[in-house]
Amino acid sequence: MIKKIKHIFTLGLLKDNPVFRQILGICSALAVTNLLMNSLVMGIGLIFVTSLSSLTVSILRKYTPKHIRMMVQTLIISAYVIIVDIVLKAYFPAMSEALGPYVGLIITNCIIMGRCEVYAQNNPPLDSFIDGIASGAGYSLVLLTIAFFRELLGFGSLFGINVLGENWVNWVFMIMPPGAFFMLGILIWVANTYIPTKDGKAPAAGGGQ
């Protein structure tokens, strides 16, 4: 079981990462990564929704008619997203305002629907729950990596704490949308060059040519 869990997490975090391997969840990955705290909260929210949605879909998979399964999956995902949205608005109103509509848009995140349809629909509940955590963690890893460089270079801070001093000249480019595209492109290039794929093949030499 431990070996299986390790395999699932290896796929979700690196070899089959939903962002830099499957190119899913790009909108929120670009929108909220100007600050580490925003990225952390969004990542935690997505882990919560993905894991519990996958668990619920897996439990109900034998009782859900195939012709309405996509609607059922969307309803399940929506219920968990509403929970996240309510908790943020009730206990973290400033963070809820900072993330804006992107919390609600978790419902349409391709990562969640993809894991529900491809994995949870065909696997037992515990495995599906772990797969949801792994995929959410892989998404969070990408968000935090991008946000680390964007906040550090764009504001000279990490989690709102100034670390580069008052003499640091902020790179305004990094806190603008093009900065997010730039960092995501670099991350995808690094992943495709140095991280093996899920079938065990090593990246091609010379930057994947």
Side-chain angles (χ1 to χ4, degrees):
M1 185 63 186
I2 295 177
K3 189 174 182 179
K4 188 172 187 179
I5 292 174
K6 182 180 178 181
H7 175 69
I8 292 174
F9 268 93
T10 300
L11 289 178
L13 288 171
L14 297 173
K15 294 184 178 180
D16 196 29
N17 185 284
V19 181
F20 61 68
R21 281 286 190 236
Q22 303 176 44
I23 319 297
L24 300 175
I26 296 298
C27 292
S28 55
L30 298 174
V32 304
T33 53
N34 59 330
L35 294 172
L36 272 167
M37 186 57 71
N38 291 355
S39 300
L40 178 63
V41 173
M42 178 62 83
I44 292 172
L46 194 118
I47 291 172
F48 173 83
V49 174
T50 308
S51 58
L52 291 180
S53 295
S54 293
L55 174 66
T56 307
V57 168
S58 180
I59 292 172
L60 299 176
R61 72 188 189 281
K62 295 180 180 178
Y63 310 101
T64 306
K66 289 186 177 181
H67 62 282
I68 62 167
R69 71 180 189 280
M70 297 293 283
M71 290 184 285
V72 173
Q73 290 170 10
T74 303
L75 180 63
I76 292 169
I77 294 168
S78 301
Y80 289 119
V81 171
I82 289 171
I83 292 173
V84 172
D85 194 33
I86 290 173
V87 169
L88 284 176
K89 286 180 178 177
Y91 297 102
F92 309 97
M95 181 56 65
S96 177
E97 186 176 350
L99 293 176
Y102 295 103
V103 174
L105 287 174
I106 291 176
I107 295 171
T108 61
N109 194 306
C110 299
I111 297 171
I112 307 173
M113 184 63 77
R115 298 324 295 169
C116 287
E117 179 66 18
V118 174
Y119 196 91
Q121 197 70 33
N122 303 295
N123 288 278
L126 182 57
D127 289 358
S128 299
F129 179 72
I130 295 171
D131 177 76
I133 294 175
S135 295
Y139 169 87
S140 303
L141 176 65
V142 173
L143 257 63
L144 290 171
T145 301
I146 295 174
F148 175 86
F149 291 103
R150 290 188 69 195
E151 182 175 351
L152 182 66
L153 299 176
F155 295 103
S157 63
L158 294 174
F159 287 106
I161 302 172
N162 191 293
V163 295
L164 296 181
E166 296 180 357
N167 294 326
W168 171 256
V169 179
N170 294 337
W171 294 17
V172 179
F173 171 78
M174 293 304 294
I175 60 177
M176 297 174 65
F181 278 102
F182 181 74
M183 289 305 307
L184 181 62
I186 291 177
L187 190 61
I188 292 173
W189 172 76
V190 170
N192 288 333
T193 303
Y194 298 106
I195 299 177
T197 58
K198 66 178 180 179
D199 57 7
K201 293 181 180 179
Q209 295 180 356

